[in-house]
Amino acid sequence: MTADTWWRTATVYQIYPRSFADSDGDGVGDLRGVISRLDHLVALGVGALWLSPVYPSPQDDNGYDISDYYDIDPMFGTLADFDELLREAHARGIRVVMDLVVNHTSDEHPWFVESRDPGSPKRDWYWWRPLPNNWGSRFSGPAWEFDDRSGEYYLHIFSRKQPDLNWENADLRQEIHRMMRWWLDRGVDGFRMDVINFISKPVGLPDAHLTDGTRYGDAEALYTNGPRLHDFLQEMHREVFAGREAVLLTVGETPGTSVDQARLLTDPSRRELDMIFQFDHVEIDQGRDKWDIRPLDLVALKRTFERWQHGLSDAGWNSLYWNNHDQPRIVSRWGDDTTYREESAKLLATVLHLHRGTPYVFQGEEIGMTNTRFRSIDDFADIQSRNYYTDAVTRRGEPADVVLDALRARSRDNGRTPMQWDDTENAGFSTGTPWLATNPNFVHINAAAQLHDPASVFAHYRALIALRRTEPLVTDGVFTLLLPDDPAIYAFTRTHAERGLLVLANFSSDAVAVPDGAMAGWPGSPLVIGNYPDSPPTLHRSVRLRPWESVVVRRGTG
Ligand code: GLC
């Protein structure tokens, strides 16, 4: 990494192709749909797009179960379409980052099909055992499935159709490196690596600790950041990225990772990854698991960001996100998606984008899309949500309405409803029946209504993305958290010598007064970006923030 690495000033836009734009009316988004909407990304000003998986797949987990790493699923198009997408994106100055899912494959991948034969040379490419350990799957139930053909069990941390690859096997690793080089030679600009910190399993696959009343252990601590993770990533760097570092972006999805581990993973001198997606902030409002929902503790959220900002200030780099295809919509989660939807969507964007790191925008976030309405379990498509419901209601006898409420708030399907382009049928996403119902609020929340409106959520995102490209303080300014214990105000500065930015944000539906102490040296500073149409042009001596109001002001010139 050099100081001028492109992704330090760029924003990345995540496309979930199933739900983005459908060109052929089959109700599922596709690559030609993405091509037809590239100008939306240009208008927003992003530097790269990350494409969730488009490889051939039985779609048990919407493409995160890959059966061929060298092709495109016919549902999404062809390799020729993909090449055209690369050309069209590059012609617009937008880089393309592929999703790389190599902790596991589909059980229909030829490698696994061969591996089921105990005499096959690929037997060792997966985890086979005569008896399972007690690990639980992240998608409910045990992490082991018995295979009749083999007479043994195989490990699957996710669904039973997603068997885990055995990275201890050097032939397998070489095969993965070869595949990655193939995509880079084709022209892709980097990889978002799915649960990449699960690839090194602990020696002997020991049992996990069982808590009272549980049948399967929570083995996350055992299989995350395992003993050979850094070796595997450094080897991948040598074999795949060496010589191409300056142009590529590599971002690892790494649940359960501490700041110290992140420093090791992203310190450029160690040649592993450019940045990671950590989970501390998105797990702040959960108890024993993601379905056990707690109110947002803003103080804890601020402390978490502060820890990550400081921890990666001299080595490594942060990625910044509220949303992706696994998270509910942020404006429904931590904003106010009724009275103050626009204000809170803009505030949440402001706070995130003014931190140090590379921001990621998930499709629809830039127009303030919200969670949707699910009436019954039949409205959910996501395997994690459906498995959880079956497990909780049918096996454990938990009340269906309680379980459904948790799903409504947290299900990944909230992020997967079709992109809301305009107010025509199916929000302009498809002329057919969408694979997942469109959120009915598309009639008033849609891209067409916002594109030319300077007061829109879209315009606000565009302004933040542009600010990052032009204002070095956003990239490199020192982060200092103010008012750490204030329960409603999120305040911080980004400074360098005499220059600085101050961010003030009211995370509540009540007006609040900013304590004077936070503002020493700032009154009179000009406004850079506010989220109310009549934000004051300079900061007053005593500031009262309206509900969900945020302001960014500047000090110093140059
Ligand atoms: C990652 C993906 C998620 C998927 C899982 C298994 O967490 O983001 O969508 O279900 O890995 O591949």
Side-chain angles (χ1 to χ4, degrees):
M1 189 189 79
T2 56
D4 57 0
T5 307
W6 63 270
W7 41 253
R8 288 164 60 93
T9 52
T11 298
V12 182
Y13 188 86
Q14 184 191 352
I15 291 182
Y16 195 64
R18 267 182 167 267
S19 306
F20 192 62
D22 172 19
S23 72
D24 59 5
D26 67 355
V28 180
D30 47 46
L31 292 177
R32 303 210 68 80
V34 175
I35 295 168
S36 74
R37 294 291 185 177
L38 282 174
D39 289 336
H40 178 79
L41 277 63
V42 174
L44 195 55
V46 298
L49 66 87
W50 146 30
L51 202 59
S52 275
V54 288
Y55 312 89
S57 160
Q59 303 288 329
D60 185 57
D61 185 21
N62 290 2
Y64 283 90
D65 48 319
I66 295 171
S67 54
D68 180 356
Y69 286 115
Y70 290 91
D71 206 347
I72 300 295
D73 195 295
M75 166 195 288
F76 295 124
T78 62
L79 274 173
D81 294 332
F82 182 81
D83 290 340
E84 189 177 329
L85 168 60
L86 277 180
R87 273 196 308 277
E88 292 290 329
H90 289 163
R92 290 167 172 81
I94 296 174
R95 292 177 163 92
V96 177
V97 173
M98 283 295 261
D99 218 306
L100 180 82
V101 188
V102 289
N103 172 67
H104 45 269
T105 65
S106 163
D107 64 340
E108 297 179 37
H109 193 291
W111 297 346
F112 187 74
V113 175
E114 271 183 57
S115 178
R116 292 177 63 195
D117 171 359
S120 150
K122 295 218 170 55
R123 183 66 170 175
D124 186 45
W125 285 29
Y126 294 84
W127 295 95
W128 293 99
R129 289 289 182 275
L131 286 174
N133 66 14
N134 70 357
W135 293 5
S137 154
R138 294 173 85 85
F139 288 172
S140 303
W144 294 88
E145 181 76 4
F146 185 71
D147 178 49
D148 287 334
R149 165 131 181 249
S150 300
E152 289 196 327
Y153 295 81
Y154 64 86
L155 175 68
H156 61 89
I157 289 176
F158 294 91
S159 95
R160 66 178 60 135
K161 287 185 68 62
Q162 293 169 297
D164 281 59
L165 286 163
N166 175 12
W167 276 67
E168 299 296 323
N169 185 297
D171 293 341
L172 163 79
R173 299 202 303 275
Q174 275 179 24
E175 197 48 50
I176 288 174
H177 301 151
R178 186 170 81 88
M179 176 270 288
M180 294 174 74
R181 286 191 299 261
W182 188 83
W183 284 103
L184 293 181
D185 292 344
R186 223 178 170 93
V188 311
D189 304 289
F191 295 101
R192 174 271 183 186
M193 304 182 188
D194 195 66
V195 288
I196 198 67
N197 64 329
F198 292 3
I199 59 177
S200 169
K201 309 293 193 276
V203 180
L205 305 182
D207 275 338
H209 177 68
L210 277 186
T211 43
D212 288 350
T214 55
R215 284 194 297 164
Y216 307 112
D218 174 4
E220 176 167 317
L222 293 175
Y223 58 68
T224 53
N225 301 312
R228 297 187 66 196
L229 176 64
H230 298 293
D231 292 348
F232 292 159
L233 290 175
Q234 286 169 8
E235 179 189 57
M236 179 191 282
H237 198 287
R238 280 194 306 276
E239 297 294 319
V240 183
F241 306 134
R244 321 199 207 205
E245 296 91 335
V247 290
L248 295 183
L249 180 153
T250 59
V251 51
E253 186 205 23
T254 58
T257 293
S258 67
V259 177
D260 288 343
Q261 288 162 331
R263 286 172 68 93
L264 296 177
L265 290 164
T266 65
D267 178 342
S269 68
R270 293 172 51 87
R271 298 176 176 270
E272 297 188 20
L273 300 170
D274 292 331
M275 61 188 99
I276 62 159
F277 292 125
Q278 56 87 14
F279 280 66
D280 285 354
H281 67 305
V282 289
E283 289 174 353
I284 232 155
D285 57 356
Q286 74 180 40
R288 38 170 213 289
D289 59 28
K290 76 181 254 181
W291 311 111
D292 180 18
I293 303 167
R294 306 287 158 86
L296 171 63
D297 176 347
L298 186 71
V299 171
L301 183 72
K302 293 188 285 187
R303 291 288 194 194
T304 299
F305 269 105
E306 181 185 40
R307 210 172 61 242
W308 281 89
Q309 291 285 294
H310 288 168
L312 299 184
S313 62
D314 58 347
W317 188 251
N318 273 290
S319 60
L320 307 168
Y321 72 98
W322 291 134
N323 272 121
N324 58 43
H325 62 294
D326 295 329
Q327 300 291 335
R329 293 283 179 183
I330 196 63
V331 67
S332 300
R333 184 180 191 172
W334 292 341
D336 174 339
D337 65 4
T338 54
T339 319
Y340 297 105
R341 184 188 63 85
E342 292 192 27
E343 291 82 357
S344 62
K346 293 176 189 172
L347 170 144
L348 285 157
T350 305
V351 167
L352 189 77
H353 285 238
L354 266 294
H355 281 88
R356 187 166 188 266
T358 298
Y360 289 72
V361 176
F362 177 63
Q363 64 184 49
E365 182 185 337
E366 76 281 18
I367 56 169
M369 276 177 62
T370 67
N371 284 354
T372 194
R373 242 168 229 257
F374 298 98
R375 280 154 310 174
S376 75
I377 187 62
D378 298 333
D379 290 344
F380 293 89
D382 168 36
I383 180 164
Q384 182 191 41
S385 307
R386 296 182 68 95
N387 283 3
Y388 171 68
Y389 183 89
T390 308
D391 207 48
V393 177
T394 320
R395 297 218 186 85
R396 292 200 302 271
E398 290 176 23
D401 54 338
V402 173
V403 174
L404 268 178
D405 274 347
L407 285 174
R408 287 186 181 111
R410 277 293 193 277
S411 172
R412 310 193 295 180
D413 280 340
N414 281 301
R416 300 176 179 187
T417 59
M419 175 68 189
Q420 295 169 201
W421 292 108
D422 55 39
D423 62 2
T424 65
E425 200 180 354
N426 301 323
F429 161 70
S430 173
T431 53
T433 305
W435 70 275
L436 186 67
T438 309
N439 189 324
N441 66 18
F442 75 87
V443 185
H444 62 275
I445 303 175
N446 63 68
Q450 296 190 25
L451 201 54
H452 303 293
D453 174 2
S456 65
V457 176
F458 183 87
H460 194 84
Y461 268 86
R462 185 172 51 205
L464 289 168
I465 291 167
L467 181 67
R468 170 169 295 272
R469 283 200 310 269
T470 52
E471 173 53 85
L473 286 170
V474 179
T475 317
D476 286 318
V478 172
F479 174 91
T480 308
L481 183 67
L482 308 177
L483 306 172
D485 298 318
D486 191 291
I489 300 172
Y490 199 141
F492 58 94
T493 56
R494 302 291 311 282
T495 53
H496 178 71
E498 297 307 306
R499 302 192 65 234
L501 298 169
L502 166 70
V503 180
L504 297 173
N506 173 12
F507 270 69
S508 83
S509 299
D510 301 314
V512 292
V514 181
D516 288 344
M519 310 240 306
W522 291 95
S525 301
L527 181 78
V528 177
I529 181 165
N531 72 340
Y532 270 62
D534 59 345
S535 301
T538 55
L539 199 67
H540 294 152
R541 190 148 292 281
S542 61
V543 179
R544 229 178 132 66
L545 293 169
R546 289 169 280 183
W548 297 101
E549 185 168 25
S550 62
V551 294
V552 181
V553 299
R554 186 196 310 273
R555 182 171 72 189
T557 51

